[in-house]
Amino acid sequence: MATAHQLVTLNATTPTLVSIAQANEMGYERTAATSFLNTDAAITIYLGSYKDVNGNILSATSYGYQLPFAQAVAYELGADDQVYAIAASGTPKLAVFAIESI
């Protein structure tokens, strides 16, 4: 069972790949319970795919999930799943932690 974590600095212009298996080329054999924590005290972070179904790139106006400041969310992600994040403003940090499922 593999575990991994990373602290990612985001910006408000370019979506950043934050799913650990993809961003760090870790080859999970199964799914991984992955949590995302917005460590900033004031800036919202948006999570989603790089582009939505209409072709819009992830942004503060086109997003899949709004992660308010100081909040966390967890997902079960497959090895090929890609999650991107972008900041509403500034350069907040997103803490990512993954535990490979048994």
Side-chain angles (χ1 to χ4, degrees):
M1 175 173 58
T3 63
H5 69 277
Q6 64 184 2
L7 188 61
V8 182
T9 301
L10 304 173
N11 63 63
T13 56
T14 305
T16 300
L17 182 62
V18 294
S19 47
I20 287 178
Q22 292 295 322
N24 296 310
E25 299 179 0
M26 294 182 63
Y28 290 136
E29 294 179 17
R30 302 171 183 86
T31 59
T34 306
S35 65
F36 300 94
L37 169 65
N38 181 348
T39 65
D40 197 85
I43 299 173
T44 298
I45 291 173
Y46 301 98
L47 302 172
S49 56
Y50 187 79
K51 288 186 178 181
D52 68 13
V53 295
N54 296 317
N56 300 307
I57 294 175
L58 180 67
S59 69
T61 58
S62 174
Y63 56 87
Y65 185 83
Q66 181 177 3
L67 186 60
F69 53 88
Q71 298 294 312
V73 65
Y75 298 105
E76 190 75 19
L77 298 178
D80 294 331
D81 291 338
Q82 295 183 352
V83 177
Y84 287 81
I86 194 164
S89 62
T91 55
K93 292 184 178 3
L94 180 70
V96 185
F97 179 69
I99 302 174
E100 184 178 20
S101 303
I102 297 176

